[in-house]
Amino acid sequence: MTTGIWVLVGTLALASVAGLAWRRSQGRVRTAKMSQLPTELHKLVDPSSRVTLLQISTTFCAPCRHTRILLSDLADKTDGLQHVDFDVTNHPEVATSLGVLSTPTTLAVDSKGVELMRVGGVPKRDTLLDALRPHLS
């Protein structure tokens, strides 16, 4: 009986640590993983904009909707910033080529389509804007 309790306590502790680690990683700005975008996404980059926020979404992703609202608003209020959304539901090969394992994932790319940084999950507005400032000025 006591062994079963210890197994339960250990499992709950391990699950809690894993959940906290995952939650902590969501919304954090990370360095770029690739230098050039796939053709389907490169067509979406605005060459007249200094930075394009390329949101990778799926159809039934609730956090994707929140991210879309946040990024659209940020782009509307920031000079040199553009936001586009790409749904990978019917294009899983694009997500695979980008190394995207979950949605939403936001890629910040320059006017030539070179990835500057990426955010997994719903971005934290101020953190993202601070990370983008050097690329917007």
Side-chain angles (χ1 to χ4, degrees):
M1 179 75 170
T2 58
T3 302
I5 291 173
W6 283 112
V7 168
L8 177 63
V9 169
T11 303
L12 290 174
L14 185 61
S16 296
V17 169
L20 289 172
W22 176 81
R23 185 174 181 177
R24 188 161 190 241
S25 72
Q26 295 298 295
R28 292 181 56 188
V29 176
R30 295 182 297 241
T31 57
K33 287 190 175 187
M34 63 185 317
S35 61
Q36 199 59 33
L37 293 174
T39 307
E40 299 92 336
L41 298 180
H42 199 276
K43 292 186 268 185
L44 300 174
V45 174
D46 182 0
S48 65
S49 189
R50 291 184 184 207
V51 176
T52 299
L53 296 175
L54 184 59
Q55 180 183 340
I56 308 300
S57 303
T58 52
T59 304
F60 300 105
C61 168
C64 294
R65 290 185 214 114
H66 297 291
T67 301
R68 188 176 304 113
I69 292 167
L70 183 138
L71 296 179
S72 293
D73 183 58
L74 189 62
D76 288 344
K77 295 178 179 177
T78 307
D79 290 335
L81 189 62
Q82 181 71 27
H83 169 249
V84 293
D85 190 1
F86 186 79
D87 189 332
V88 293
T89 303
N90 297 318
H91 305 281
E93 70 283 353
V94 173
T96 302
S97 71
L98 291 169
V100 171
L101 301 175
S102 65
T103 57
T105 296
T106 304
L107 308 177
V109 298
D110 67 10
S111 60
K112 296 176 182 159
V114 177
E115 183 180 343
L116 304 169
M117 64 191 77
R118 65 173 54 197
V119 180
V122 179
K124 294 175 177 84
R125 182 185 187 95
D126 293 335
T127 304
L128 178 61
L129 194 54
D130 287 343
L132 289 172
R133 274 192 226 289
H135 303 287
L136 293 171
S137 55

